[in-house]
Amino acid sequence: DSGVTQTPKHLITATGQRVTLRCSPRSGDLSVYWYQQSLDQGLQFLIQYYNGEERAKGNILERFSAQQFPDLHSELNLSSLELGDSALYFCASSSWGTFYGYTFGSGTRLTVV
Amino acid sequence: DAKTTQPNSMESNEEEPVHLPCNHSTISGTDYIHWYRQLPSQGPEYVIHGLTSNVNNRMASLAIAEDRKSSTLILHRATLRDAAVYYCIPAGNNAGNMLTFGGGTRLMVKP
């Protein structure tokens, strides 16, 4: 157990639907990062939150959004889902930037049918 | 972000040392060199990181070239559990920096 909890572990949904992925960071970590991993794209950075505020954005589609709540857990919302959104979604947390390392969760596998 | 070049794959025998190379010729002077690995069906995990000097921890050693344009991750005795994709990632240390993963090296360990 890495200390980062992601739920659900697996999700199967239909095209056009909306889903919410949840991440609880390691105790004490203020930063949360979301990554998408598909077979043809590798690990792609989506978005970072630090203590409730958006800090950096990567290759995140407009159909996707995220937020970090006062208790520091984070949610990634994916809407108008397409077949190409099928991927593993990882959440990572850190106490401060990259220096103290990221701790990754075990991921949510999203399948869009 | 600095561009990195790693072999797509490498093979090793169990209990032998493994040297995983990485070229990062465009690394900035303040970037640390981070190594992560991703075991099958798991999220990436931190291995080691360094700035200029060689670094050791319980998992591995990191040898950094004097000009910092390349580095080598050393697994002293590979085990079957070390079979994974290894990522070399130069990254700054500010709060706004993040880890950008490339293709990595897939390490296969033969019994």
Side-chain angles (χ1 to χ4, degrees):
Chain A
D1 181 9
S2 68
V4 176
T5 304
Q6 289 189 248
T7 56
K9 290 194 183 313
H10 301 277
L11 199 48
I12 301 175
T13 190
T15 54
Q17 294 299 304
R18 171 190 168 95
V19 296
T20 297
L21 313 184
R22 182 187 169 103
C23 169
S24 293
R26 199 178 57 159
S27 177
D29 285 353
L30 299 179
S31 276
V32 169
Y33 309 81
W34 286 97
Y35 285 82
Q36 178 192 57
Q37 186 172 38
S38 56
L39 282 174
D40 57 346
Q41 292 286 327
L43 268 161
Q44 299 285 313
F45 168 70
L46 295 179
I47 197 165
Q48 176 202 1
Y49 279 82
Y50 179 79
N51 202 21
E53 293 190 5
E54 182 184 304
R55 181 62 68 99
K57 254 184 175 176
N59 301 321
I60 188 165
L61 299 172
E62 284 191 13
R63 300 183 285 109
F64 296 0
S65 65
Q67 54 184 327
Q68 186 179 28
F69 295 86
D71 67 353
L72 300 177
H73 91 271
S74 178
E75 293 180 357
L76 179 67
N77 301 297
L78 315 176
S79 61
S80 303
L81 285 167
E82 302 175 358
L83 295 178
D85 298 327
S86 296
L88 268 168
Y89 291 84
F90 288 104
C91 165
S93 73
S94 75
S95 57
W96 174 257
T98 63
F99 186 82
Y100 295 105
Y102 287 13
T103 302
F104 282 80
S106 55
T108 293
R109 181 174 294 280
L110 173 66
T111 304
V112 183
V113 297
Chain B
D1 293 338
K3 180 176 166 54
T4 59
T5 304
Q6 297 181 254
N8 289 332
S9 64
M10 291 183 65
E11 205 170 80
S12 170
N13 294 318
E14 197 176 11
E15 299 194 3
E16 288 186 358
V18 182
H19 291 233
L20 297 162
C22 181
N23 286 319
H24 31 76
S25 58
T26 60
I27 191 171
S28 84
T30 56
D31 280 355
Y32 281 74
I33 300 153
H34 302 257
W35 283 81
Y36 280 72
R37 71 179 186 181
Q38 187 173 18
L39 302 171
S41 303
Q42 295 188 28
E45 64 175 349
Y46 169 82
V47 178
I48 200 166
H49 77 283
L51 184 62
T52 55
S53 305
N54 295 343
V55 185
N56 301 294
N57 66 20
R58 65 175 179 81
M59 287 181 72
S61 295
L62 176 59
I64 302 171
E66 200 169 323
D67 63 5
R68 295 196 353 109
K69 293 184 177 181
S70 66
S71 62
T72 302
L73 180 71
I74 303 163
L75 306 180
H76 295 286
R77 289 181 66 217
T79 68
L80 296 178
R81 197 194 172 274
D82 292 322
V85 179
Y86 287 79
Y87 299 96
C88 159
I89 310 169
N93 193 31
N94 296 321
N97 297 121
M98 73 285 299
L99 299 177
T100 302
F101 289 78
T105 296
R106 180 173 299 278
L107 175 67
M108 293 167 281
V109 181
K110 296 186 295 183

